[in-house]
Amino acid sequence: MSNATHHAPPSGLQKLIETNSMMLVLGILLMVSVGGLVEIVPLFYLKNTIEKVDGVRPYTPLELAGFNIYVREGCYTCHSQMIRPLRDEVERYGHYSLAAESMYDHPFQWGSKRNGPDLARVGGKYSNDWQRDHLRDPRSVVPSSIMPGYPFLSKTLLNGEHLAEQMRVLRIVGVPYSDDQIDNAVADLAAQASSDDAGGPDVQKRYPNAVLGDVAGKTSVTEEDALIAYLQHLGVSVDFKLYDDKANIR
Amino acid sequence: MSIDQQVNKVRIDPLSGVPTTGHEWDGIEELNTPLPRWWVWTFAATVVWSIAYCIVYPAWPLLHGATEGLLGWHSRTAVVQDIAALQETRAPILEKIKNAPIDTIEKNPELLLAARTVGRVAFLNNCAACHGAGAQGAKGYPNLNDDDWLWGGKLSDIRTTIEHGVRWDADKDTRSGTMPAFGRDGLLTPQQVSEVADWVRTMADLPDALAPEPAGEKLYNDNCAVCHGADGKGNQSVGAPNLFDAIWLYGSDKGAIVNRIMQGGGGVMPAWKGRLDDTTIKALTVYAHSLGGGQ
């Protein structure tokens, strides 16, 4: 080996780091924090990541309960909620997702894998009947589906006793729930699930564009009702006829 | 031996002829094999590439925004341009569909092929979940291949149904007509529901129909005939199905019929106007109409 003699023994900084584990740890921390500063900090001030968009509101108690079930059942492991600004995705799913559309999701449900389709704009795409049939037995409506059935959701009564507390906690992290909304959480939960509950108009006053259930005279609210209310709200908040694509570029 | 001595002990490994780094632990020494030249050059090239990338594309976040890059590229403008380019390649055929009166499309083979192609793609993405990939339907979701139409099978009927949906409350022009929940709301007793179901099954000439109670016919005439017709042929203006065409959306066994009379209501279809553009809805209309049962 002709170049063998060019390799000097480690010295200086290399020697210091390689022979001193605390120095190595400090060096790693320094590198990682530079990466963090460059990649994370700008998300808190760049215009297109913090843009305010008309129409986005906090979830109703029923939708929030549905969100909890969505997280509990791990729907995000197979369904994304993030339409990327790519031609094919916009063609199939609709307008690309905006950061503001998931600003009240804690934790966000963007997902990272699509065994099933993206759900960011599934709201209003199918009827409640279809959602029920599909959740109970996906293959009854989509023969080629590989999604597991969730028939137990329709047999499990919704436990809403901690929803008001959850709303209070969400308020701490920035979801603007009012006292009025939190005080009426349980009443709104039941009212939204029914199509003809006396409290329906109040729900819609507290939460603009809230869609009421399609079953009249409901006496009990199931987890399925909550999940469907959540799904039907996905991606319908922003009116993209009014949204200016160019306004928030950087 | 101190660490210092270990670190500084450099020698040529006799077996491979490669110098060691001087690191030695328990008699095991680390060879200092030089990196292959191709690797070093590739690494250098990626460094150069990253610098060029930072100059040409948006890269570094600054205080009031990120660097914009010489190309001025942005994902949000790029997707708009990509879609515009796609629309441009589709424009010749989409324009023809858009400009042709809807009832002339099926008479022109070229236009029909175009409309069916555009319609088929939109159908698979939006309609197939309920109506099936072959438009064959499922329990509660109508088959679109047959000539049985709940809300009318003419082109104009189909377009209205697609645009405004069925029992879709968010659209004020939606198809509406809801069968009362005769059983659940107590309009008929369970006994009466059973009688009228038997009568319907007899009228429909179902092979296993029981001999109906005479009361069933009167109950039918008093409660059902107003929508389904005295002859049972239905009424498309309110979406009341023809009961005697051997097509049963929810099944023809007695339990299924009793259930419908108990629960009432009917299927729901979303309104697609606004979600899909007018040309796509026009193509979908022609597609559904041309599946076999269009009137």
Side-chain angles (χ1 to χ4, degrees):
Chain A
M1 284 285 165
S2 59
N3 58 354
T5 52
H6 296 303
H7 292 274
S11 62
L13 188 63
Q14 186 188 357
K15 181 178 161 188
L16 179 74
I17 291 173
E18 287 199 358
T19 57
N20 188 330
S21 57
M22 281 320 290
M23 290 305 293
L24 189 65
V25 168
L26 281 177
I28 291 171
L29 282 177
L30 188 70
M31 285 303 293
V32 171
S33 34
V34 169
L37 281 172
V38 173
E39 292 188 3
I40 299 170
V41 171
L43 298 178
F44 290 94
Y45 65 79
L46 286 186
K47 207 174 167 192
N48 62 358
T49 59
I50 55 167
E51 62 178 326
K52 276 275 180 193
V53 179
D54 288 340
V56 182
R57 62 154 170 80
Y59 291 119
T60 65
L62 189 65
E63 290 159 6
L64 184 62
F67 172 87
N68 292 342
I69 294 160
Y70 187 94
V71 175
R72 183 191 75 194
E73 298 300 334
C75 305
Y76 58 86
T77 54
C78 292
H79 292 284
S80 57
Q81 284 186 29
M82 164 57 76
I83 304 166
R84 295 173 290 185
L86 299 171
R87 186 190 73 184
D88 296 357
E89 301 212 357
V90 173
E91 277 270 296
R92 177 171 176 186
Y93 299 118
H95 197 284
Y96 54 79
S97 296
L98 305 176
E101 288 182 283
S102 46
M103 68 193 287
Y104 298 136
D105 287 9
H106 295 283
F108 67 80
Q109 297 299 309
W110 300 338
S112 58
K113 197 165 186 297
R114 286 181 188 154
N115 287 347
D118 188 277
L119 298 181
R121 302 216 181 282
V122 81
K125 190 171 182 181
Y126 308 116
S127 65
N128 287 8
D129 278 335
W130 185 89
Q131 293 286 5
R132 277 188 282 267
D133 286 347
H134 184 254
L135 281 171
R136 291 171 196 182
D137 179 9
R139 275 152 297 283
S140 71
V141 282
V142 184
S144 56
S145 174
I146 56 167
M147 177 169 132
Y150 293 84
F152 56 90
L153 294 178
S154 65
K155 299 179 191 120
T156 314
L157 289 181
L158 186 66
N159 181 350
E161 62 172 316
H162 295 302
L163 272 176
E165 286 161 83
Q166 186 184 0
M167 289 161 79
R168 233 172 258 126
V169 172
L170 285 171
R171 185 156 71 177
I172 295 171
V173 294
V175 181
Y177 279 118
S178 65
D179 289 338
D180 181 40
Q181 287 172 326
I182 293 173
D183 292 343
N184 289 289
V186 177
D188 286 352
L189 182 82
Q192 196 190 352
S194 208
S195 65
D196 59 351
D197 191 282
D202 289 339
V203 177
Q204 287 170 320
K205 203 158 51 187
R206 278 190 274 273
Y207 303 91
N209 301 322
V211 176
L212 302 179
D214 63 344
V215 178
K218 239 177 142 38
T219 50
S220 59
V221 184
T222 65
E223 294 194 335
E224 186 184 69
D225 297 327
L227 184 56
I228 291 174
Y230 169 67
L231 291 172
Q232 295 290 26
H233 182 63
L234 286 180
V236 300
S237 300
V238 179
D239 184 350
F240 281 99
K241 283 198 278 297
L242 306 177
Y243 178 75
D244 182 359
D245 274 326
K246 295 188 184 67
N248 288 292
I249 289 181
R250 243 176 257 117
Chain B
M1 197 187 305
S2 75
I3 289 174
D4 205 32
Q5 283 170 308
Q6 288 174 18
V7 167
N8 288 318
K9 197 180 74 177
V10 178
R11 62 183 200 91
I12 308 292
D13 173 56
L15 275 177
S16 60
V18 177
T20 70
T21 60
H23 301 180
E24 182 255 298
W25 301 100
D26 297 340
I28 299 171
E29 289 173 285
E30 184 187 3
L31 296 186
N32 195 1
T33 310
L35 289 164
R37 279 297 160 95
W38 67 263
W39 196 98
V40 175
W41 283 112
T42 307
F43 179 69
T46 58
V47 173
V48 174
W49 176 271
S50 69
I51 293 168
Y53 188 96
C54 288
I55 295 169
V56 176
Y57 281 100
W60 292 93
L62 305 174
L63 279 182
H64 299 289
T67 55
E68 298 201 3
L70 291 179
L71 290 182
W73 185 91
H74 190 284
S75 59
R76 289 188 174 190
T77 42
V79 68
V80 171
Q81 287 162 1
D82 285 353
I83 290 172
L86 188 70
Q87 292 299 339
E88 205 171 306
T89 58
R90 288 174 181 167
I93 205 72
L94 288 179
E95 282 297 308
K96 278 184 197 162
I97 299 174
K98 188 177 168 190
N99 294 331
I102 193 164
D103 50 356
T104 66
I105 291 179
E106 291 186 1
K107 299 187 186 95
N108 178 331
E110 187 204 349
L111 274 180
L112 177 61
L113 178 66
R116 283 185 55 102
T117 308
V118 173
R120 171 95 186 133
V121 172
F123 185 87
L124 288 177
N125 187 9
N126 299 292
C127 317
C130 291
H131 291 289
Q136 75 278 17
K139 186 183 166 195
Y141 308 99
N143 181 341
L144 303 179
N145 297 299
D146 59 28
D147 60 356
D148 188 40
W149 297 93
L150 293 170
W151 302 93
K154 293 201 280 292
L155 283 165
S156 55
D157 296 329
I158 297 172
R159 176 147 72 178
T160 303
T161 305
I162 297 173
E163 283 182 346
H164 302 292
V166 176
R167 303 183 185 97
W168 190 253
D169 295 338
D171 189 309
K172 63 180 169 48
D173 296 323
T174 193
R175 299 282 197 188
S176 58
T178 301
M179 177 160 149
F182 288 100
R184 198 184 64 211
D185 290 349
L187 300 170
L188 297 176
T189 64
Q191 172 66 23
Q192 288 174 317
V193 170
S194 173
E195 284 168 2
V196 79
D198 278 335
W199 172 250
V200 166
R201 299 189 84 243
T202 305
M203 261 176 103
D205 212 13
L206 289 167
D208 58 342
L210 299 171
E213 301 285 333
E217 180 175 9
K218 182 170 180 343
L219 286 168
Y220 179 90
N221 288 330
D222 291 349
N223 294 285
C224 318
V226 60
C227 291
H228 292 285
D231 57 357
K233 292 281 197 304
N235 179 356
Q236 292 181 343
S237 68
V238 291
N242 182 337
L243 298 177
F244 304 133
D245 57 4
I247 293 172
W248 297 88
L249 191 56
Y250 295 92
S252 65
D253 60 86
K254 186 171 173 190
I257 294 173
V258 165
N259 189 40
R260 295 315 302 165
I261 303 172
M262 292 294 284
Q263 304 298 331
V268 173
M269 171 171 155
W272 294 92
K273 197 177 173 66
R275 206 177 246 276
L276 300 175
D277 64 70
D278 288 346
T279 309
T280 305
I281 289 179
K282 199 172 183 181
L284 267 174
T285 304
V286 173
Y287 177 75
H289 187 260
S290 67
L291 284 170
Q295 290 160 354

